[in-house]
Amino acid sequence: MNTIHPARITKVLPDSIAAEIGFESGDAIVAINGTRPRDLIDYQFLCADEILELEVLDAAGKTHSLEIEKDYDQDLGLEFETALFDGLIQCNNRCPFCFIDQQPPGKRTSLYFKDDDYRLSFLYGSYLTLTNLSEREWQRIEQMRLSPLYVSVHATEPEVRIRLLKNPRAGQILQQLKWFQERRLQIHAQVVVCPGINDGEHLEKTLKDLASFHTDEVPAVASVAVVPVGLTRFRPQEDELIPVTKEKAKEVISQVKMLTQQFRQQLGSSVAWLADEWFLIAGEELPSESAYEEYPQIDNGVGSIQLFIKQFAAAATESLPPKVSPQRKLTWVVGNAVEKAFQPILQRLNSVEGLEVNMRALCSDYWGQKITVTGLLTGHDLLLNLQGQDLGEGILLPNVMLKHGELVFLDDMSIEELACKLEIKILPIAGVEDLINTCIV
């Protein structure tokens, strides 16, 4: 069992209970009502009480006891260094397509951590495989109703999933799905398609098996994302993986479309959706915005392009002025996978008098990819393609290129370093509103 460390505070929200009491960044919570929280889930659960007895360690290492009376469910207003106070549950699989194994050596240690942690899945929607859970963890998922979880299924046939995850425990997936179903708990599933291994008839079997759990009032399998395997030039030579070709992408699109049509007739939902990347690789039109229902797999790149276009159109009508003064010239950097899809956005921005936005759609030399999604572009790629060019007064940089919560690219280059080398201002943008506001302000 991992050691539970005090929960180190990094931020105290203004006007919160914690600010009123005098909590400061650097303090740490040791226990709440006598229990040491293992993670953010325990912390939130324990803080739901109306009377809290806290054991707190201040930044100088001195222990304090506090009693707080508050409304049930009222938040204390604290943010922590990490969501896990007892350390990360590491991955025990050896999936050949794991992105972490497809990185060059010599970068910072955190880039090589493989997590397979159900708590991060519940809190942030990261995918796990269910192969490393102890009986105690299964009980906790049930008792605390930690649902939905996000599960990398890849294949439901035991021998195919074992081959992909290189883990004998991977063959238990159907029994595990039954476990969720019996307890009225849910998962969102992911299938990474590796040509020659889990495609064709295996993909059909997997999707039909998963759809069979999309029944009842609370379907055990709420949705499925079908994603193409992503390969980089750093991947191990002996990994038996084949890149997805244009022909393969077309084949998978038509296969999944046929199956989802059946699911809609039988179950009233598509259940499974193809990641946008399939259509970009195949050179086919993206499905219409209405095809994505409630966007259950948006963070997996399923429907994110159409949603971005829809949100932009709505925001542009409201916020884009007819002209800007003084004149502005900016460079918008995106992955070449979305170049065609984002043309209407580019045209609409450039219809504003006095605003000139030039799109630079790049592929990644760093990863060795011909077609690249925006989130995989690195500092190296931007430097290689943009050095010595007229980029106007700044670069509009989608923050999907950056490590979560940090101003650092996937290749470890910082925004500051890039700005210095290109001698230009870099303007990170977090979404549609940011894009519009940065262009016009």
Side-chain angles (χ1 to χ4, degrees):
M1 206 183 298
N2 292 355
T3 309
I4 300 174
H5 298 283
R8 177 90 40 218
I9 295 162
T10 51
K11 190 176 177 185
V12 180
L13 300 181
D15 306 321
S16 63
I17 296 173
E20 212 176 293
I21 289 167
F23 273 99
E24 289 177 358
S25 178
D27 295 342
I29 291 179
V30 178
I32 302 167
N33 293 343
T35 300
R36 295 170 78 99
R38 293 173 53 183
D39 47 43
L40 207 48
I41 299 167
D42 272 356
Y43 166 78
Q44 288 167 350
F45 180 74
L46 292 166
C47 282
D49 281 350
E50 290 173 352
I51 296 175
L52 304 181
E53 286 180 14
L54 301 182
E55 188 185 329
V56 179
L57 196 64
D58 67 24
K62 193 173 172 215
T63 304
H64 306 259
S65 294
L66 305 173
E67 188 170 294
I68 297 173
E69 271 192 57
K70 62 175 191 61
D71 292 341
Y72 175 75
D73 266 358
Q74 191 182 0
D75 190 56
L76 293 183
L78 295 172
E79 288 181 10
F80 299 95
E81 187 173 46
T82 170
L84 310 177
F85 314 140
D86 63 352
L88 196 65
I89 298 177
Q90 293 254 17
C91 182
N92 61 358
N93 307 304
R94 294 190 304 284
C95 307
F97 49 85
C98 178
F99 190 73
I100 289 169
D101 292 337
Q102 294 192 60
Q103 298 185 97
K107 301 293 173 189
R108 66 204 148 119
T109 329
S110 63
L111 287 177
Y112 305 105
F113 270 134
K114 288 191 202 182
D115 75 79
D116 197 10
D117 200 308
Y118 69 98
R119 298 164 304 170
L120 296 181
S121 186
F122 174 70
L123 290 165
Y124 306 121
S126 59
Y127 277 85
L128 81 158
T129 62
L130 305 173
T131 57
N132 64 355
L133 294 178
S134 65
E135 192 51 49
R136 179 170 171 247
E137 312 293 6
W138 282 107
Q139 282 168 7
R140 188 176 184 222
I141 291 168
E142 179 177 5
Q143 284 160 2
M144 296 188 85
R145 311 291 299 162
L146 302 183
S147 169
L149 294 182
Y150 292 74
V151 179
S152 287
V153 173
H154 306 322
T156 50
E157 295 162 278
E159 63 284 2
V160 180
R161 194 167 190 254
I162 289 168
R163 180 183 171 191
L164 278 169
L165 271 58
K166 307 273 191 286
N167 185 336
R169 291 177 73 177
Q172 299 165 10
I173 188 68
L174 286 172
Q175 295 94 294
Q176 290 166 339
L177 292 176
K178 286 195 184 88
W179 184 92
F180 281 91
Q181 189 175 43
E182 285 158 7
R183 286 155 184 80
R184 292 168 65 83
L185 297 171
Q186 289 190 298
I187 71 148
H188 290 281
Q190 163 179 265
V191 176
V192 173
V193 176
C194 301
I197 302 177
N198 64 339
D199 56 347
E201 59 188 23
H202 302 298
L203 178 59
E204 183 174 343
K205 171 99 173 76
T206 296
L207 294 181
K208 283 181 171 173
D209 283 345
L210 291 171
S212 73
F213 287 95
H214 190 86
T215 52
D216 309 324
E217 199 186 332
V218 181
V221 173
S223 72
V224 185
V226 181
V227 183
V229 66
L231 303 177
T232 81
R233 65 188 174 94
F234 301 109
R235 68 181 224 259
Q237 287 312 297
E238 66 291 345
D239 66 7
E240 67 176 358
L241 296 177
I242 303 165
V244 172
T245 60
K246 187 173 184 172
E247 295 67 40
K248 174 55 72 177
K250 285 178 178 291
E251 177 197 307
V252 171
I253 290 169
S254 83
Q255 181 186 15
V256 173
K257 273 185 177 171
M258 216 156 60
L259 286 166
T260 54
Q261 207 173 337
Q262 289 173 28
F263 300 156
R264 275 196 301 278
Q265 286 165 355
Q266 296 159 3
L267 305 162
S269 166
S270 293
V271 185
W273 285 269
L274 291 149
D276 295 355
E277 247 182 292
W278 290 107
F279 300 95
L280 304 172
I281 295 168
E284 290 189 12
E285 287 295 310
L286 289 157
S288 67
E289 189 263 325
S290 61
Y292 294 103
E293 295 175 28
E294 302 293 312
Y295 288 100
Q297 291 273 1
I298 191 75
D299 291 336
N300 222 337
V302 177
S304 50
I305 293 175
Q306 289 291 34
L307 185 61
F308 192 85
I309 292 167
K310 178 193 176 182
Q311 288 172 338
F312 177 84
T317 307
E318 222 168 275
S319 318
L320 264 187
K323 65 179 288 184
V324 293
S325 182
Q327 293 192 340
R328 305 206 67 192
K329 182 181 175 182
L330 297 160
T331 299
W332 182 21
V333 178
V334 296
N336 65 346
V338 296
E339 181 174 16
K340 189 178 158 205
F342 281 179
Q343 286 307 312
I345 296 178
L346 188 65
Q347 285 159 14
R348 181 68 185 88
L349 289 171
N350 284 319
S351 70
V352 176
E353 195 187 325
L355 177 63
E356 184 188 338
V357 178
N358 295 310
M359 179 190 279
R360 291 302 310 273
L362 312 177
C363 65
S364 178
D365 172 77
Y366 183 82
W367 300 115
Q369 294 173 329
K370 288 192 181 76
I371 298 175
T372 304
V373 293
T374 304
L376 284 181
L377 289 175
T378 63
H380 164 93
D381 297 318
L382 271 68
L383 198 55
L384 182 75
N385 287 282
L386 304 178
Q387 211 157 17
Q389 295 183 20
D390 175 13
L391 303 168
E393 61 190 83
I395 291 175
L396 299 165
L397 187 92
N399 69 355
V400 290
M401 294 182 205
L402 305 172
K403 285 285 289 173
H404 291 303
E406 297 179 54
L407 297 177
V408 178
F409 293 95
L410 286 176
D411 62 353
D412 251 1
M413 191 185 288
S414 70
I415 275 199
E416 205 179 338
E417 190 184 333
L418 183 69
C420 190
K421 285 180 174 168
L422 290 176
E423 297 177 6
I424 194 153
K425 207 172 183 177
I426 292 184
L427 311 160
I429 49 175
V432 162
E433 282 176 23
D434 255 11
L435 174 63
I436 289 174
N437 293 337
T438 310
C439 284
I440 62 177
V441 175

